[in-house]
Amino acid sequence: MIRTEYLRFLQSLNKDAAPEDVRKIANLVLANLDYLVPLSTHQGQRVRHLVALAQVNWDVVSAYIQPLTKQTDEQALSITQLQNLSVGPFRGFLKQEAFDLASRLVLIYGPNGTGKSSFCEALEYGLLGNVTEAESKRFFDQQEYLKNAQTNSFVEPEIMGVNCQGFVMPIVANEALYRFCFVEKNRIDSFSRIGAQAPVKQTELISTLFGMDSFNEFVRNFTAEIDGRYIDRIGVKANELGQKRQALAGFQSQLISNTNELQKLDLEEMAVARQYRDGSTFSQMVIELNGDGQNTGVIQCHEAELQKPIADKSNVTISALQTFAQSININLAVLTSNRQKLATASEQVSYKQLYEAVAQVQPSIPEYCPACKTSLNQVVINPYTHACEELQKLQYLAALQQTVQQHDQSINQSLLDLSQIVNICCIKFKANPLITYQITSICKCTIEWWNALHQPLQDSFTPWQHLEAQVKYLEEDDKAIDQAAQLRAAKQTALDRLREFAQQIIVLQTRRWTAQQTINNVQQAIAKFDIENAQLISEVEAEKSLVAKNQAIASSYTDFITRLNAYKDSLPSQLVADLGDIVVTLYNAFNRNDSSGELLATVKLPLAQNHRLEISFKTNPQQFFDALHVLSEGHIRCIGLAILLAKNLKENCPILIFDDPVNAIDDDHRESIRRTLFEDQHFADKQIILTCHGEEFFKDIQNLLPAESAKRTKAFTFLPRLDEPHIRIDFNCAPRNYIIVARSHFNRNEIRDSLSKSRQALESLTKDKIWRYVNSYGDGNLSLKLRSATAPIELRNLTEQIRKQISKEDFRHPNKNTVLDPINTLLSLNGESREWRYLNKGTHEESDREEFHIQTVQIIVTSLEKLDEALF
């Protein structure tokens, strides 16, 4: 199946004018198909092998797609039915067996495990050249799967067929001609489980229904593309040279960028030089600031000057000195005046101190006089109250005392400050006459010390005059120090500015050096590249043809896979194209006993991804439903079977091979499907080969057919193997058609057995055929009498009611007498006869029973044969 479907795909490449390289890949896959099929995408198994094959064979593989072999022989194209099959050793067939298939209907009956599948696989191999089940079971060597296990040998089955001219000829396997002749139960089972699949898988089940799952799996196991993991599309040497050229390109970029950097530096250096001084160049600025071998730089000179220390200021002024003197003199005058006032009021001061003492003891002795201990209740004047009153009168003395203290403190502070000035002068001037007046302790700053400063010395000058002269000098010296400090600050500011320029010089010079070094290195690398890589450049040139081949392989493979997947995805729509009406017709025939509301108007098959199986019913053809939601599994199976049979009809296949429908079809639909196959005209011109493991189904088919047709049917029974390894076959199995068997028993004078089969034949004819015939052309409502609630219908009563309906004038069938005459003949026999009693209900085994009349049984069998002939 994989090979044949792949060959059809190849024809699509011719039709679509695929590029030459794509067709080369396709032919390469075809040539190695048997090896590639078992490989999968796991670890790139298949693509790795295909790459190896392509690299070795690319120059010799053909791009010509061989057309499919056409079976132009008229006899091969006009086979009407199979004639016989010779098979063995093959699967379960240990030895060769010959099957006579010269009949429109071939029935194969046998329990499971008796070899029916081997028989069908022999037909499949003989007609198609392969067995789909072998591929689904991962047997990619068909002969390994098909050989007999006991003999370990395999002989191809031989099939003879009859063409339209009646000539018998050998059939050559042709999958294109006979692929749709087979209806296989496993495919219908898979289709019925469509509801358990995701929508994306539902489309694939259309392919599965037609046995395309192995081809789908084959296509899925191709990796989507050939990337760098599997083939060298760049070239190892080219990649190496490319990486080096990237580095070279980096060098070129560095050369350009660093050349631009030098030009930028020229502009920046000019700008910095102009900021330094108008008209100055950068090199001049560098020499001036940093110096050269002959001259010291400005920065170094400024730093040397600023390192020289500045003298400490004395921070004394003549004005401060005079202020101290004036303050001392004023405070001394005030202090002397206030002290005289206090001396004058000394008595009052004593009283004040007394009153203050009394006020202080009041909290400790609040009830007695502090002097005499007399109770305050007995004294004439309260001492505490009197003390408070007198203290209020003497408050001015407190203020005067406080003023004295303040002036005394002010004089002491002024003297202390003055002593500091004296000490500074003594430090500043050596051999100073003021050294004698230098104060080392605060307690020595007295009025006497102050007065001594105004006493003339031996040089006729007072110490104070010397002090004033020295302070004036120090004040002038401080002014000079201030000027030096201001000049120093200006120099520091200028130095900071120069240092900023020096820092910019360092940055610019560093950038220039770096850029120049980079340019030098890059120029050397560029100059040496072609020399150092001459061998590699030569190898790249030699490698180009291989890389070009690999690129062609990779790109054509991707195109090939795209086309192959597109072909796979289009298969469902190709397979079921224009089948909708036939599918609906067959489905409704399978469900002919359902109500009209359950019969279909339209079927939409899932032909693309995410499409669903949709249906509409006759009662409302415009409303569509998801079939999986509204149909049972049995009805889904009917749709699957209808699709396969519709395809068989659409392709005008001369044969329908149905493998074990009992397993594929539920009980409710078997009768309608039998009638569709054997009563309706859809398959009237086809040879039907049907296998089943159900004896009832086997029997029902033969009784559904006219007796004459049943006689022409070929029937085989596959028997349980017992202890034999070979398939056991009964080539002369007894017919199951009741009329045929009744006549056979009668001819052998087995009258009782003949009557027994006649009873079954009459029951089958009346219930399954004559009653339906009556209902089709007249009134099928019968009035039947039953002996009890559980009693079966008596055949004579049923036959009489049927005759009554057919005898009516309004019964419309023109040839109704052909049916009515045999019925009248049957009913003309005495209903109480032993023969009719047997027909009604059969008899139990009894001894010494009266014999049946052979003439009566002859009439019954003949009448049944006529009825059977008339109804068909």
Side-chain angles (χ1 to χ4, degrees):
M1 178 63 72
I2 293 176
R3 179 175 293 276
T4 54
E5 196 61 49
Y6 184 75
L7 289 172
R8 278 191 286 271
F9 161 70
L10 294 184
Q11 304 312 303
S12 71
L13 297 182
N14 271 341
K15 180 180 179 181
D16 298 337
E20 179 177 325
D21 286 350
V22 173
R23 285 181 277 130
K24 289 174 73 173
I25 287 287
N27 278 334
L28 194 63
V29 171
L30 177 63
N32 297 274
L33 192 65
D34 292 339
Y35 187 85
L36 291 174
V37 166
L39 303 179
S40 68
T41 57
H42 178 63
Q43 296 182 345
Q45 295 174 355
R46 182 179 291 180
V47 71
R48 290 182 190 278
H49 185 74
L50 187 56
V51 165
L53 290 171
Q55 288 177 322
V56 172
N57 300 288
W58 191 251
D59 296 332
V60 297
V61 66
S62 173
Y64 174 70
I65 299 294
Q66 184 74 30
L68 288 177
T69 302
K70 295 183 178 181
Q71 301 287 343
T72 56
D73 192 305
E74 294 182 359
Q75 293 178 333
L77 291 173
S78 58
I79 292 294
T80 57
Q81 72 174 40
L82 306 184
Q83 181 75 7
N84 55 62
L85 165 68
S86 179
V87 55
F90 180 94
R91 294 285 283 153
F93 291 96
L94 181 69
K95 57 185 179 180
Q96 190 176 69
E97 295 286 359
F99 292 87
D100 182 4
L101 307 178
S103 172
R104 176 183 170 269
L105 176 61
V106 178
L107 297 176
I108 310 294
Y109 161 67
N112 289 330
T114 55
K116 300 188 304 299
S117 294
S118 293
F119 172 82
C120 290
E121 286 175 342
L123 290 177
E124 184 177 2
Y125 188 83
L127 294 175
L128 307 183
N130 63 76
V131 175
T132 304
E133 189 69 13
E135 293 178 351
S136 64
K137 291 180 178 179
R138 312 294 289 179
F139 280 88
F140 300 106
D141 183 352
Q142 291 270 330
Q143 293 192 11
E144 185 66 24
Y145 174 78
L146 298 174
K147 69 182 181 181
N148 179 263
Q150 298 294 325
T151 62
N152 196 32
S153 59
F154 161 78
V155 175
E156 291 190 3
E158 295 180 2
I159 303 178
M160 303 297 290
V162 179
N163 64 13
C164 59
Q165 297 176 350
F167 295 112
V168 177
M169 56 178 293
I171 294 180
V172 178
N174 189 320
E175 196 265 353
L177 284 177
Y178 304 117
R179 62 186 298 207
F180 300 115
C181 292
F182 292 86
V183 176
E184 207 274 319
K185 61 180 183 298
N186 291 335
R187 300 176 190 173
I188 298 176
D189 288 339
S190 297
F191 186 83
S192 69
R193 292 191 291 270
I194 192 172
Q197 303 292 334
V200 69
K201 292 287 290 182
Q202 292 182 14
T203 303
E204 293 186 9
L205 285 178
I206 295 295
S207 297
T208 300
L209 191 62
F210 289 97
M212 302 301 299
D213 46 354
S214 59
F215 180 74
N216 289 344
E217 183 68 16
F218 165 71
V219 175
R220 279 193 296 267
N221 277 321
F222 278 103
T223 303
E225 63 179 9
I226 302 177
D227 55 29
R229 294 173 295 172
Y230 311 117
I231 198 170
D232 182 8
R233 302 180 63 173
I234 300 174
V236 176
K237 298 299 181 181
N239 185 46
E240 181 182 350
L241 181 61
Q243 291 177 354
K244 291 187 175 184
R245 288 196 183 279
Q246 286 180 357
L248 186 63
F251 288 154
Q252 296 286 359
S253 176
Q254 290 180 35
L255 182 61
I256 295 172
S257 64
N258 282 280
T259 300
N260 293 335
E261 173 73 357
L262 291 179
Q263 295 174 355
K264 182 179 178 182
L265 283 172
D266 290 339
L267 298 175
E268 292 182 16
E269 288 172 352
M270 292 173 60
V272 172
R274 284 195 297 269
Q275 291 177 8
Y276 173 70
R277 186 180 65 251
D278 287 339
S280 175
T281 64
F282 185 75
S283 58
Q284 291 174 343
M285 180 184 71
V286 172
I287 294 174
E288 287 182 13
L289 292 179
N290 298 327
D292 54 16
Q294 299 176 352
N295 302 300
T296 303
V298 177
I299 292 177
Q300 186 177 356
C301 293
H302 278 52
E303 289 175 343
E305 292 177 2
L306 289 173
Q307 287 177 359
K308 297 176 181 179
I310 299 177
D312 295 332
K313 290 174 63 176
S314 59
N315 293 318
V316 294
T317 62
I318 191 64
S319 62
L321 182 64
Q322 292 173 351
T323 298
F324 289 147
Q326 184 179 2
S327 174
I328 292 171
N329 288 328
I330 293 172
N331 284 325
L332 280 175
V334 175
L335 179 62
T336 302
S337 173
N338 286 336
R339 282 180 175 173
Q340 288 177 354
K341 291 179 181 179
L342 283 176
T344 304
S346 59
E347 183 179 347
Q348 292 178 333
V349 171
S350 298
Y351 277 112
K352 177 178 175 294
Q353 293 174 350
L354 174 61
Y355 294 147
E356 287 175 347
V358 171
Q360 290 175 357
V361 299
Q362 183 178 6
S364 59
I365 312 176
E367 299 176 354
Y368 298 95
C369 174
C372 62
K373 302 298 182 178
T374 302
S375 173
L376 295 181
N377 295 328
Q378 298 177 359
V379 296
V380 178
I381 297 174
N382 187 320
Y384 299 122
T385 303
H386 180 69
C388 292
E389 292 173 353
E390 290 300 321
L391 283 173
Q392 290 179 356
K393 295 177 180 179
L394 296 175
Q395 280 184 352
Y396 77 95
L397 287 177
L400 185 58
Q401 287 177 332
Q402 185 176 1
T403 300
V404 170
Q405 289 177 356
Q406 290 175 352
H407 284 287
D408 190 43
Q409 290 175 356
S410 179
I411 291 170
N412 289 336
Q413 183 61 46
S414 295
L415 290 174
L416 179 61
D417 292 339
L418 183 59
S419 69
Q420 296 296 325
I421 295 175
V422 173
N423 289 340
I424 291 172
C425 290
C426 291
I427 295 171
K428 293 291 185 179
F429 299 100
K430 305 301 180 183
N432 196 332
L434 296 178
I435 194 68
T436 306
Y437 300 95
Q438 187 175 1
I439 300 299
T440 59
S441 176
I442 296 177
C443 61
K444 294 181 179 181
C445 294
T446 61
I447 297 300
E448 289 76 11
W449 177 75
W450 164 255
N451 292 330
L453 290 176
H454 294 84
Q455 299 299 321
L457 298 175
Q458 293 179 357
D459 57 3
S460 299
F461 293 99
T462 62
W464 180 259
Q465 290 174 327
H466 283 289
L467 181 60
E468 285 181 333
Q470 292 179 16
V471 167
K472 287 181 181 179
Y473 181 83
L474 290 177
E475 185 176 5
E476 292 299 324
D477 192 46
D478 281 352
K479 291 179 180 178
I481 292 173
D482 286 340
Q483 292 178 356
Q486 291 176 1
L487 181 59
R488 183 184 185 90
K491 288 183 178 181
Q492 184 64 53
T493 301
L495 179 61
D496 291 342
R497 177 176 176 272
L498 296 177
R499 283 175 173 168
E500 290 179 0
F501 283 111
Q503 183 63 35
Q504 292 183 56
I505 289 172
I506 293 173
V507 172
L508 293 172
Q509 288 179 333
T510 302
R511 285 170 57 190
R512 180 175 290 277
W513 182 88
T514 302
Q516 191 61 55
Q517 284 296 111
T518 302
I519 289 173
N520 295 338
N521 295 336
V522 166
Q523 288 175 339
Q524 292 177 8
I526 292 173
K528 293 189 296 183
F529 182 84
D530 289 341
I531 298 173
E532 293 178 347
N533 296 281
Q535 178 64 29
L536 181 59
I537 293 171
S538 175
E539 292 173 349
V540 169
E541 289 299 320
E543 189 182 50
K544 283 184 178 179
S545 60
L546 176 61
V547 171
K549 179 196 296 185
N550 289 347
Q551 290 174 344
I553 291 171
S555 60
S556 59
Y557 173 86
T558 301
D559 192 357
F560 165 76
I561 294 302
T562 301
R563 292 171 183 270
L564 182 59
N565 277 287
Y567 177 81
K568 172 182 73 70
D569 295 338
S570 69
L571 280 178
S573 60
Q574 294 177 24
L575 290 170
V576 297
D578 302 325
L579 293 185
D581 293 341
I582 306 177
V583 171
V584 170
T585 300
L586 292 175
Y587 175 88
N588 290 340
F590 297 161
N591 295 275
R592 65 187 69 200
N593 296 323
D594 292 351
S595 64
S596 60
E598 296 178 296
L599 300 180
L600 299 185
T602 309
V603 171
K604 290 183 179 180
L605 300 172
L607 305 181
Q609 286 190 0
N610 298 318
H611 285 191
R612 293 184 176 274
L613 176 63
E614 294 183 323
I615 58 172
S616 67
F617 296 99
K618 283 188 174 181
T619 52
N620 189 357
Q622 304 304 318
Q623 184 178 7
F624 285 87
F625 301 91
D626 186 337
L628 306 180
H629 289 172
V630 299
L631 295 183
S632 66
E633 183 177 335
H635 285 89
I636 293 295
R637 287 174 180 268
C638 287
I639 288 182
L641 177 59
I643 293 172
L644 291 174
L645 295 181
K647 189 65 175 178
N648 183 277
L649 293 172
K650 183 73 175 179
E651 298 295 327
N652 294 318
C653 297
I655 309 161
L656 174 62
I657 301 171
F658 203 156
D659 182 17
D660 210 348
V662 177
N663 282 347
I665 305 166
D666 58 66
D667 295 339
D668 295 337
H669 294 94
R670 286 176 188 166
E671 179 188 0
S672 295
I673 291 175
R674 283 196 302 270
R675 292 178 61 188
T676 303
L677 291 174
F678 303 114
E679 285 188 359
D680 298 346
Q681 296 303 305
H682 303 296
F683 303 95
D685 297 330
K686 296 181 183 292
Q687 181 185 29
I688 298 177
I689 300 176
L690 186 147
T691 73
C692 70
H693 74 272
E695 186 177 11
E696 290 299 310
F697 192 80
F698 187 68
K699 175 263 297 181
D700 291 340
I701 289 176
Q702 295 192 44
N703 284 284
L704 185 66
L705 299 173
E708 287 302 316
S709 296
K711 288 179 183 179
R712 295 190 296 271
T713 297
K714 297 294 183 180
F716 308 97
T717 299
F718 282 65
L719 304 173
R721 295 192 184 187
L722 302 178
D723 293 331
E724 298 182 31
H726 180 64
I727 294 175
R728 297 174 61 233
I729 308 162
D730 181 359
F731 289 97
N732 298 300
C733 61
R736 300 301 201 274
N737 183 281
Y738 298 134
I739 295 175
I740 295 174
V741 177
R743 172 58 67 183
S744 176
H745 284 306
F746 185 85
N747 291 341
R748 293 197 299 270
N749 205 35
E750 297 168 352
I751 305 304
R752 188 173 186 277
D753 290 335
S754 178
L755 188 57
S756 174
K757 292 301 177 182
S758 296
R759 179 185 180 280
Q760 292 175 310
L762 180 59
E763 185 175 16
S764 175
L765 286 171
T766 53
K767 291 182 179 180
D768 295 336
K769 297 178 183 178
I770 304 177
W771 198 342
R772 192 160 59 242
Y773 166 78
V774 171
N775 193 57
S776 298
Y777 299 101
D779 184 4
N781 296 313
L782 307 181
S783 298
L784 302 174
K785 296 179 181 180
L786 302 177
R787 296 181 182 274
S788 66
T790 59
I793 297 174
E794 289 188 353
L795 286 178
R796 186 171 183 94
N797 184 15
L798 175 60
T799 306
E800 288 173 346
Q801 290 296 321
I802 288 174
R803 181 177 64 176
K804 178 180 178 182
Q805 296 300 103
I806 296 175
S807 300
K808 289 181 179 180
E809 293 182 0
D810 58 354
F811 193 85
R812 298 187 301 274
H813 195 268
N815 297 322
K816 67 179 182 179
N817 288 333
T818 60
V819 177
L820 186 60
D821 291 344
I823 294 176
N824 287 330
T825 300
L826 283 172
L827 294 177
S828 66
L829 301 174
N830 186 358
E832 296 300 323
S833 66
R834 296 183 63 252
E835 290 78 17
W836 256 111
R837 288 200 303 272
Y838 192 96
L839 291 177
N840 271 333
K841 59 181 179 179
T843 58
H844 297 288
E845 182 63 32
E846 298 176 6
S847 59
D848 299 327
R849 181 194 302 272
E850 182 182 353
E851 297 294 334
F852 294 109
H853 292 96
I854 189 170
Q855 294 82 4
T856 303
V857 175
Q858 168 71 15
I859 293 172
I860 291 173
V861 172
T862 302
S863 298
L864 292 174
E865 288 174 336
K866 291 180 178 181
L867 265 178
D868 180 76
E869 182 180 354
L871 291 171
F872 289 98

